[in-house]
Amino acid sequence: AQSVAQPEDQVNVAEGNPLTVKCTYSVSGNPYLFWYVQYPNRGLQFLLKYITGDNLVKGSYGFEAEFNKSQTSFHLKKPSALVSDSALYFCAVRSHYNQGGKLIFGQGTELSVKP
Amino acid sequence: GAVVSQHPSRVICKSGTSVKIECRSLDFQATTMFWYRQFPKQSLMLMATSNEGSKATYEQGVEKDKFLINHASLTLSTLTVTSAHPEDSSFYICSARPPPGQDRGEQFFGPGTRLTVL
């Protein structure tokens, strides 16, 4: 069965410090991995994805994520956090076998960046 | 590009009435759209997969007679909550997937619809 785990409900970071939001996954076959961000009462905005190629993926707003196959992880990172990064972050996975494109979402991690 | 809209953004209705939510892909054709439900500060729960010109595929536990989905064109899917009750109050989000050949893997999400049933 496919699953995604985000072990931290909340991550607190001081502005200017690096941030990491963790994600591990379980999927049959090669994974397609995604990070989305959600601001209050809004839909999800796409940040970045890993389909194939370089394990380090760069995305929007200075975020990046590293695909680690041996650890089945896809942690989201940013070198220097901004207060405006405070939001709810979702990791999602899809198996490349899944031609229907259905995404499995993690439970979400609330990121709080304090000045 | 890849913009998805939802209408209305917010709706309040009385118990027993039906509410229709529209999801539109504005600048691409979406053969597949997805409907999700989200409770406060929780993850998205997939309700159904909507394919243009065919019946929707519902996830286990989702009542198809209560949540009617129609994907009548390549740019529009609708979700109708029939005989709504207070427990149907939630944030409903749709997403759209570009057709094969344009699909790069990700889904594009609408801004969501906040439904409150009194």
Side-chain angles (χ1 to χ4, degrees):
Chain A
Q2 301 176 74
S3 66
V4 177
Q6 292 179 241
E8 301 153 317
D9 290 336
Q10 184 154 8
V11 170
N12 298 308
V13 177
E15 187 175 31
N17 283 0
L19 69 87
T20 298
V21 183
K22 295 179 180 177
C23 171
T24 58
Y25 67 89
S26 174
V27 69
S28 300
N30 294 325
Y32 294 176
L33 293 155
F34 308 86
W35 275 102
Y36 288 88
V37 60
Q38 184 181 33
Y39 295 96
N41 295 308
R42 303 294 297 275
L44 273 64
Q45 294 180 32
F46 170 74
L47 279 179
L48 52 77
K49 66 182 176 185
Y50 171 83
I51 303 293
T52 186
D54 289 340
N55 290 344
L56 183 63
V57 179
K58 294 189 184 294
S60 305
Y61 312 120
F63 284 93
E64 59 186 31
E66 185 164 13
F67 170 60
N68 188 318
K69 189 172 183 178
S70 62
Q71 297 185 6
T72 61
S73 67
F74 190 57
H75 301 330
L76 181 70
K77 299 184 180 187
K78 187 172 182 180
S80 179
L82 300 173
V83 173
S84 57
D85 292 330
S86 299
L88 191 55
Y89 289 80
F90 290 101
C91 181
V93 70
R94 167 190 157 188
S95 167
H96 82 283
Y97 292 135
N98 180 359
Q99 295 305 307
K102 189 162 68 173
L103 292 177
I104 305 300
F105 284 89
Q107 61 268 45
T109 298
E110 187 164 4
L111 173 66
S112 176
V113 182
K114 301 292 187 187
Chain B
V3 178
V4 176
S5 70
Q6 273 183 250
H7 178 80
S9 58
R10 197 177 281 269
V11 57
I12 300 172
C13 69
K14 292 182 180 179
S15 188
T17 60
S18 295
V19 174
K20 180 186 282 188
I21 302 170
E22 294 185 347
C23 177
R24 294 182 185 271
S25 56
L26 298 184
D27 50 4
F28 66 100
Q29 293 183 332
T31 50
T32 304
M33 290 184 172
F34 302 88
W35 286 97
Y36 297 86
R37 183 173 179 176
Q38 185 183 31
F39 292 101
K41 300 210 173 179
Q42 292 190 26
S43 190
L44 280 70
M45 182 192 80
L46 179 65
M47 299 174 67
T49 302
S50 169
N51 294 297
E52 187 268 337
S54 64
K55 289 184 179 179
T57 303
Y58 289 82
E59 295 298 302
Q60 192 171 8
V62 178
E63 298 177 59
K64 59 182 67 176
D65 293 332
K66 180 161 187 66
F67 298 101
L68 300 178
I69 291 171
N70 185 3
H71 194 153
S73 78
L74 287 171
T75 59
L76 173 65
S77 176
T78 60
L79 168 67
T80 301
V81 183
T82 62
S83 186
H85 290 283
E87 57 266 29
D88 299 324
S89 298
S90 193
F91 194 53
Y92 292 87
I93 306 176
C94 73
S95 70
R97 181 187 172 201
Q102 299 175 36
D103 183 6
R104 298 180 183 177
E106 67 267 37
Q107 295 176 17
F108 299 97
F109 286 81
T113 297
R114 172 75 59 194
L115 170 63
T116 302
V117 185
L118 302 176

